[in-house]
Amino acid sequence: MDSEWVIDAQGLEKSYGSGASRFDALKGVSVQIAPGETVAIVGKSGSGKSTLMHLLALLDKPDRGTLQVAGKDAKALSKRAVNELRNKEFGFVFQQFFLTPNVSVLDNVILPLKIAGMGGRERRRRGMQVLEQLELVDKAGNKATTLSGGQKQRVVIGRALVNAPRVIFADEPTGNLDTATGAVVEDILFELNRSQDITLVIVTHDEELAARCDRQIYIRDGLVVPQTAATHTGAHAMTTAGGPA
Amino acid sequence: MRIKDLVATAISNTFRSKLRTTLTVLAIFVGAFTLTLTNAVGAGVSQYVDAQVGALGSPDVFIITQATDASTAGDGPVEFDASSSASVASNQGPPGTTTKALTDADLVTIGATAGIESVDPIRSVQPDYIEYDSGTPYEFSINATSAVTTADLTAGAQLDGGASEAQLVLPDTFVLPLGFASAEDAVGASVSIGITDILGEKHTVDATVVGVSLESLLAAGAGANDALIAELADAQSSGIDTAVTSYGVAVAHFDTTLSADAITALKADLATAGYTARTIEDQLGAVQTVINGIVGVLNAFAVIALIAAAFGIINTLLMSVQERTREIGLMKAMGMSSGKVYTLFSLEAIVIGFLGSAIGAGVAIGLGSALSAALSQGLLSGLPGLNILLFEPASVTFVIGLVMLIAFLSGTLPAQRAAKQNPIESLRYE
């Protein structure tokens, strides 16, 4: 059963603060994501969807619940192993890009490879390959700050893609883009899913983007809820709502 | 992340905020510049003093006199004693004091002391003039202790104490007046020394110039080896045995393998026997202590400037950590370990420290060398051989290393803050 899911989370709970200011961001969420799937995590701001993504991406630790990533129990992994897992298996796309200013597009793209300790020549080769794929080769030497929003998000996707990850986590990937540019970026992400079989986990409140995914997980007040009034449903809902497993 | 990449990233990050980095580097520059200069002054003066010590004598030599009479007021006149009361002005005590002479019996006693290998009285000779190739004669004096000293040579070689040939080390001020083209030209030449004997008759003695020395603060006159001194002394005494059995000063060689403690013990032994024995280091020790003290105070000021600069580094890096919160969060999200983040920021601090100290030391060396050259031509021309600023590679390296260490320590707090950052906190934007 383990290997069937790239991510298998059971009864995740997470709260911030303590006493009167205690805030329960997640109150027992179970999520399973299969390899090659595209999953949208949908919810309003404050619903806990970002917290859920952080837990699934091993950026944070749950207070309670179990989480298995690629068949490995996250709790049993050392800090070093978690870092390596994030570096090699995950890619991240953020709404606000988080590109390093005053550094070239190529250098931004190859940052994960640099962190992984890959040699300079190989880094460059793979970086250029990704830029070619995203039609940004002519911008390779430009500073990241000189690009348009759509180009920036393509660079961010390039950065998420350069280490050939198994899963890409995208947090509101089109939130900062106009409709037309947003659509282009969406197309690129879904194309990657199709051609390279990369699992996509997209956090969004954009129903249209959510609808393009295989499956939607609706989060409200820290719990998974059956899909809301919003109409188009995914093919199959494998989500479960409930207390700790 | 590889170390090479970490260093490269740290260097490029340092230049990201140019104005801020420049200002911080300037603060360090001031400290490093000052420290390099004060060290150079210390080294320059020490080297000069060492050369002067060398001019005074070799390290395995005692200058021995009778213990100084402390003629305290109220003691009244001392009764004359024919066997010991001969007084000789030896120039070895403080001005105004006289030293009782050493007799042949004293020399035997000193020579018999355990640890002393040989003892020789210093015989002073008073030549009248020196001339070369029947040219103009010049007034001339010979340093009585030159046979045991190491001259600060500009050309030629040291005196050979064992040679039977009469040898002379000429002060460089005599080179041009005597008609030599250069110091090298003078080496090997034969000069004539004029001397008047006790009967008023004039004699000349020939000597070979083996070396040319810089004028020394502490040992005036030319150097002559034992053979030349003996020849001059014979001429001076005009063959008459003047029964010179009292000497102001004697030079004793001791076993070079003696430890510092053994030397102190030996001095104590000689003191008990009624003699004052001083090594060359003793004679100049006080001078060196003062110089070291002054240099120490100057260094302390420079270090204070560096400590002020250290706060500049802390401030700069804290601002940098603040500004780059998201970048740090992103790198950590992408699997960069806290340790590497810490290293990255520490390296940035070290790069700033290196920039400030290398530029500071470089400018100090450039300006200092020019200043030193100008001073030795002008204000300090009376002290030949003095390089007021001496830049030793080891001490310059030490200054740069020290500044980099201070920078690293300053970077600890900001680097720790960066390393502790939680990636989600850093990336939160809701």
Side-chain angles (χ1 to χ4, degrees):
Chain A
M1 174 99 190
D2 282 354
S3 52
E4 201 175 318
W5 311 107
V6 65
I7 292 172
D8 182 358
Q10 298 293 332
L12 295 182
E13 288 180 37
K14 180 77 187 174
S15 53
Y16 297 104
S18 60
S21 62
R22 184 183 159 99
F23 169 65
D24 295 317
L26 289 180
K27 299 168 183 166
V29 172
S30 301
V31 172
Q32 289 170 317
I33 296 168
E37 221 182 349
T38 58
V39 177
I41 299 176
V42 195
K44 292 184 182 141
S45 77
S47 61
K49 62 183 192 302
S50 289
T51 305
L52 177 59
M53 191 204 87
H54 292 151
L55 292 183
L56 297 182
L58 302 178
L59 288 168
D60 206 352
K61 286 194 177 115
D63 296 336
R64 218 166 291 160
T66 60
L67 177 61
Q68 295 205 328
V69 176
K72 286 176 219 150
D73 186 0
K75 237 181 249 169
L77 292 175
S78 67
K79 258 187 179 170
R80 194 195 170 99
V82 168
N83 279 336
E84 197 170 317
L85 192 73
R86 278 210 306 269
N87 183 262
K88 297 242 168 13
E89 308 285 1
F90 295 167
F92 294 94
V93 176
F94 298 98
Q95 178 182 5
Q96 298 197 327
F97 316 136
F98 298 141
L99 292 171
T100 312
N102 303 323
V103 170
S104 76
V105 165
L106 180 64
D107 283 340
N108 265 294
V109 165
I110 61 175
L111 183 60
L113 303 181
K114 212 187 219 184
I115 290 172
M118 186 181 282
R121 189 171 301 172
E122 177 66 7
R123 256 183 354 222
R124 208 185 134 73
R125 192 186 67 73
R126 291 185 47 178
M128 290 309 286
Q129 199 180 343
V130 166
L131 286 178
E132 202 166 327
Q133 194 178 338
L134 296 170
E135 293 164 14
L136 281 169
V137 173
D138 53 328
K139 304 280 183 199
N142 291 25
K143 301 266 186 232
T145 34
T146 62
L147 303 181
S148 71
Q151 289 170 329
K152 278 183 188 166
Q153 198 58 304
R154 262 148 68 199
V155 174
V156 172
I157 292 173
R159 186 175 64 192
L161 193 63
V162 76
N163 55 351
R166 214 187 290 197
V167 185
I168 287 183
F169 292 93
D171 195 350
E172 303 282 9
T174 56
N176 259 359
L177 305 175
D178 61 60
T179 321
T181 333
V184 173
V185 168
E186 283 173 26
D187 289 346
I188 295 173
L189 285 173
F190 285 106
E191 171 59 26
L192 287 174
N193 169 256
R194 236 190 333 275
S195 62
Q196 297 182 30
D197 211 26
I198 294 174
T199 310
L200 280 182
V201 178
I202 301 174
V203 172
T204 184
H205 60 260
D206 177 354
E207 284 291 343
E208 279 178 47
L209 171 56
R212 292 186 67 173
C213 297
D214 298 341
R215 197 149 64 83
Q216 296 76 29
I217 299 171
Y218 290 90
I219 303 279
R220 187 196 284 162
D221 296 331
L223 288 169
V224 175
V225 294
Q227 68 207 52
T228 51
T231 47
H232 1 262
T233 55
H236 48 292
M238 238 184 290
T239 57
T240 47
Chain B
M1 217 169 184
R2 293 180 178 188
I3 290 297
K4 195 181 84 182
D5 289 330
L6 275 173
V7 174
T9 310
I11 291 173
S12 80
N13 284 347
T14 309
F15 290 108
R16 231 196 270 172
S17 176
K18 289 193 183 66
L19 180 63
R20 202 165 60 200
T21 302
T22 309
L23 289 174
T24 315
V25 163
L26 262 180
I28 301 164
F29 167 89
V30 171
F33 176 82
T34 317
L35 197 56
T36 310
L37 278 186
T38 52
N39 267 339
V41 170
V45 175
S46 291
Q47 189 216 34
Y48 182 64
V49 170
D50 281 346
Q52 298 295 334
V53 170
L56 265 184
S58 18
D60 61 338
V61 159
F62 277 141
I63 308 283
I64 296 183
T65 56
Q66 287 273 32
T68 315
D69 289 336
S71 43
T72 35
D75 275 0
V78 180
E79 214 175 295
F80 177 75
D81 175 357
S83 68
S84 69
S85 290
S87 280
V88 171
S90 67
N91 289 330
Q92 295 294 326
T97 63
T98 50
T99 315
K100 264 199 265 178
L102 293 164
T103 61
D104 284 336
D106 289 324
L107 294 182
V108 172
T109 317
I110 295 166
T113 310
I116 297 288
E117 290 188 330
S118 68
V119 59
D120 297 296
I122 287 179
R123 294 204 278 177
S124 61
V125 288
Q126 279 87 36
D128 299 329
Y129 65 86
I130 183 169
E131 68 175 9
Y132 169 63
D133 202 16
S134 307
T136 322
Y138 289 93
E139 279 184 19
F140 182 64
S141 69
I142 282 177
N143 175 16
T145 56
S146 55
V148 294
T149 61
T150 313
D152 196 0
L153 293 177
T154 59
Q158 300 288 351
L159 295 166
D160 179 2
S164 55
E165 169 201 35
Q167 293 181 344
L168 189 71
V169 168
L170 198 64
D172 64 349
T173 47
F174 279 84
V175 169
L176 294 180
L178 284 178
F180 297 112
S182 67
E184 284 74 20
D185 190 28
V187 174
S190 177
V191 291
S192 307
I193 299 166
I195 192 163
T196 310
D197 70 21
I198 49 171
L199 302 174
E201 209 170 312
K202 310 259 183 213
H203 300 273
T204 56
V205 172
D206 287 340
T208 310
V209 176
V210 290
V212 176
S213 68
L214 282 178
E215 219 173 319
S216 161
L217 266 191
L218 304 152
N225 70 344
D226 291 339
L228 179 56
I229 293 213
E231 214 173 309
L232 286 169
D234 286 347
Q236 191 170 266
S237 63
S238 171
I240 298 166
D241 181 7
T242 51
V244 181
T245 52
S246 66
Y247 314 98
V249 186
V251 172
H253 288 265
F254 54 84
D255 191 348
T256 43
T257 59
L258 284 184
S259 67
D261 285 344
I263 292 172
T264 311
L266 187 52
K267 275 190 243 175
D269 286 349
L270 287 166
T272 334
Y275 307 104
T276 306
R278 289 184 300 175
T279 58
I280 305 304
E281 279 83 356
D282 293 343
Q283 295 191 308
L284 276 172
V287 178
Q288 252 159 342
T289 308
V290 171
I291 292 167
N292 288 342
I294 293 172
V295 169
V297 170
L298 291 176
N299 279 347
F301 283 124
V303 168
I304 289 172
L306 281 177
I307 291 172
F311 286 101
I313 299 181
I314 298 178
N315 202 13
T316 301
L317 284 177
L318 277 179
M319 280 162 75
S320 183
V321 170
Q322 193 79 26
E323 265 176 22
R324 284 151 61 192
T325 300
R326 292 202 163 150
E327 189 189 329
I328 298 164
L330 181 79
M331 289 194 295
K332 292 187 88 169
M334 287 176 171
M336 185 144 158
S337 68
S338 299
K340 291 278 163 64
V341 173
Y342 182 91
T343 313
L344 181 63
F345 277 86
S346 292
L347 280 172
E348 287 182 28
I350 293 174
V351 168
I352 291 176
F354 175 74
L355 277 179
S357 58
I359 297 174
V363 172
I365 291 173
L367 273 182
S369 303
L371 186 72
S372 185
L375 278 178
S376 63
Q377 294 302 313
L379 208 56
L380 299 174
S381 58
L383 299 171
L386 171 61
N387 255 328
I388 187 74
L389 292 166
L390 180 70
F391 297 97
E392 290 168 326
S395 81
V396 172
T397 313
F398 172 76
V399 168
I400 294 178
L402 177 77
V403 174
M404 284 167 76
L405 178 71
I406 292 177
F408 167 74
L409 292 177
S410 314
T412 308
L413 176 72
Q416 216 158 19
R417 213 171 255 202
K420 271 204 310 225
Q421 248 170 32
N422 182 341
I424 328 167
E425 292 296 324
S426 319
L427 296 175
R428 194 180 290 288
Y429 48 84
E430 281 174 306

